[in-house]
Amino acid sequence: MTTAPDSVNTIPRERLPDLLRDMPKAELHIHIEGSLEPELIFALAQRNGVSIPYASVEALRAAYAFTDLQSFLDIYYAGASVLLKEEDFFDMAMAYFRRAAADHVVHAELFFDPQTHTDRGVSFETVIKGLTRASETAQRELGVSSLLIMCFLRHLSEEAAFATLEESLPWRHLFVGVGLDSGERGNPPDKFERVFERCRALGLHVVAHAGEEGPPDYIWDAIELLKVERIDHGVRCLEDPRLVLRLAAARMPLTVCPLSNVKLCVFKTLAEHNLATLMEAGLCVTINSDDPAYFGGYMNQNFVETFEALPQLSARHAYQLALNSFDASFASADDKHRWSKQLDAVFAAG
Ligand code: ADE
Ligand code: ZN
């Protein structure tokens, strides 16, 4: 794809916050259920007559002090319990798309967790129809393009994943890929080898969370057994130099989520985050928000805070991160080309 215009090298660091906010970008790692803000959780709880174990929006937000991935997932699944009707899924996704558009996100690939809903008696049809209608509305009214990726919950069995895949088939035309999320430790990729093989045979794109909390071996297995096209997180790859070489040679995208990593104690502070090191190692890194309602920010917050915390990051890195996000997406070649031209125009203007 395009290389950075020469002017990128002369852009001073003071210009970075504005450039980071204004540049077009794609988000490739967003759990749509993780975009449910406490205000919307309360509004939907009231609308649907669902009781939640928090007295107020403030009390709920105060509970967002996580010690690890599981401590977050417990609250995240409780939050999702207010989603019952197609309209709820539509409202949740539209709220996300409005935030994305404000951050100059031109394309988003949304993860959704059907098992979180079907296990509560909400049909797959309800979930996918609400999300699809929001996706179409976002394209029409906000100019934001999007694709849907169905995730299997890895703390559940492969049999349950197969049942979910079966249930999804009438709606196969409405999502482009599958992913693997939820508690990573003790739920290695090999548990899902057969269902991923079936998904690939169906022509679905495949991605998986690996190396967020889990060891580098899980990244190896996601590549070799699940044959993924992107690794979600992957930050622990630096513990295995041979793996880093493999990821670089394959130009395997990593969808990194800096604010998430700090909130879930993968890194103590943003200043200790390894994003700049991953880029220096030649890896195809992207920046994403993961679960923005829970982790303190949407896309631009992730970009601006990360660049503030890591002084080695320059305008060239900003350009590369945006370009990587288009390149690593499942969008058409035409769309990727158009967005990269928009990116060039923003950087050429300095
Ligand atoms: N589900 C929602 N957010 C997640 C994350 N960061 N890791 C694994 N599963 C998730
Ligand atoms: Zn995630």
Side-chain angles (χ1 to χ4, degrees):
M1 292 190 72
T2 329
T3 51
D6 287 344
S7 58
V8 166
N9 296 319
T10 57
I11 296 174
R13 235 182 161 266
E14 311 85 78
R15 279 283 298 135
L16 269 175
D18 283 343
L19 263 180
L20 291 166
R21 288 189 194 99
D22 293 347
M23 68 182 189
K25 52 188 76 72
E27 171 146 58
L28 306 179
H29 186 158
I30 158 81
H31 302 263
I32 197 60
E33 294 90 346
S35 74
L36 259 186
E37 292 286 345
E39 290 79 4
L40 189 52
I41 291 180
F42 267 79
L44 294 179
Q46 196 165 35
R47 185 159 99 186
N48 290 330
V50 175
S51 74
I52 43 172
Y54 297 94
S56 64
V57 165
E58 292 70 34
L60 178 54
R61 214 182 278 281
Y64 294 179
F66 312 116
T67 50
D68 59 8
L69 176 57
Q70 192 57 52
S71 66
F72 154 69
L73 290 170
D74 293 342
I75 290 193
Y76 164 83
Y77 293 128
S81 70
V82 301
L83 298 161
L84 294 184
K85 312 223 172 70
E86 187 184 315
E87 200 65 17
D88 305 337
F89 291 91
F90 174 82
D91 290 347
M92 169 176 68
M94 280 312 297
Y96 165 72
F97 283 128
R98 282 190 284 271
R99 300 292 292 256
D103 282 0
H104 298 273
V105 170
V106 293
H107 176 71
E109 301 193 352
L110 273 52
F111 292 140
F112 67 106
D113 287 340
Q115 289 158 300
T116 300
H117 313 300
T118 52
D119 287 0
R120 296 180 292 113
V122 177
S123 72
F124 192 96
E125 178 176 3
T126 298
V127 179
I128 195 104
K129 280 191 171 169
L131 297 179
T132 299
R133 194 155 57 81
S135 170
E136 290 164 357
T137 308
Q139 179 71 73
R140 199 173 56 245
E141 296 183 1
L142 302 168
V144 177
S145 112
S146 59
L147 296 169
L148 296 176
I149 297 177
M150 167 173 81
C151 283
F152 299 121
L153 298 180
R154 67 200 304 161
H155 67 272
L156 301 178
S157 66
E158 187 180 47
E159 199 182 14
F162 265 117
T164 298
L165 178 61
E166 200 57 41
E167 220 178 330
S168 76
L169 290 181
W171 317 101
R172 161 70 187 86
H173 55 294
L174 299 181
F175 59 97
V176 298
V178 297
L180 188 62
D181 65 359
S182 192
E184 188 181 6
R185 284 202 192 108
N187 295 300
D190 66 0
K191 188 174 157 185
F192 296 93
E193 198 175 344
R194 286 143 300 264
V195 75
F196 267 65
E197 187 183 349
R198 174 89 186 105
C199 290
R200 292 196 313 275
L202 287 164
L204 288 157
H205 288 291
V206 290
V207 300
H209 283 55
E212 176 186 20
E213 281 191 344
D217 274 359
Y218 283 21
I219 304 177
W220 277 113
D221 286 353
I223 298 169
E224 298 198 331
L225 303 180
L226 305 186
K227 306 193 191 315
V228 295
E229 296 159 79
R230 296 197 298 245
I231 294 285
D232 296 312
H233 294 293
V235 290
R236 287 193 57 190
C237 70
L238 287 186
E239 294 167 34
D240 180 345
R242 208 168 57 84
L243 175 59
V244 174
L245 293 178
R246 171 70 185 271
L247 291 168
R251 215 178 138 60
M252 175 69 69
L254 303 184
T255 63
V256 176
C257 308
L259 290 178
S260 160
N261 290 155
V262 174
K263 272 283 187 184
L264 300 186
C265 308
V266 175
F267 296 97
K268 270 209 215 79
T269 63
L270 265 187
E272 291 164 81
H273 199 286
N274 65 9
L275 181 132
T277 313
L278 294 169
M279 291 188 79
E280 290 316 314
L283 300 182
C284 178
V285 176
T286 64
I287 284 187
N288 307 271
S289 71
D290 205 4
D291 300 282
Y294 293 90
F295 297 152
Y298 289 76
M299 282 292 267
N300 282 357
Q301 197 77 23
N302 270 275
F303 271 98
V304 171
E305 287 196 34
T306 303
F307 274 68
E308 248 169 39
L310 301 174
Q312 60 277 51
L313 294 178
S314 64
R316 175 168 287 281
H317 293 93
Y319 181 93
Q320 192 63 53
L321 285 160
L323 194 61
N324 289 349
S325 74
F326 304 143
D327 210 5
S329 78
F330 298 136
S332 70
D334 278 358
D335 281 343
K336 292 181 187 192
H337 183 71
R338 189 162 43 81
W339 298 325
S340 67
K341 290 291 150 208
Q342 291 170 9
L343 179 66
D344 283 352
V346 169
F347 274 78

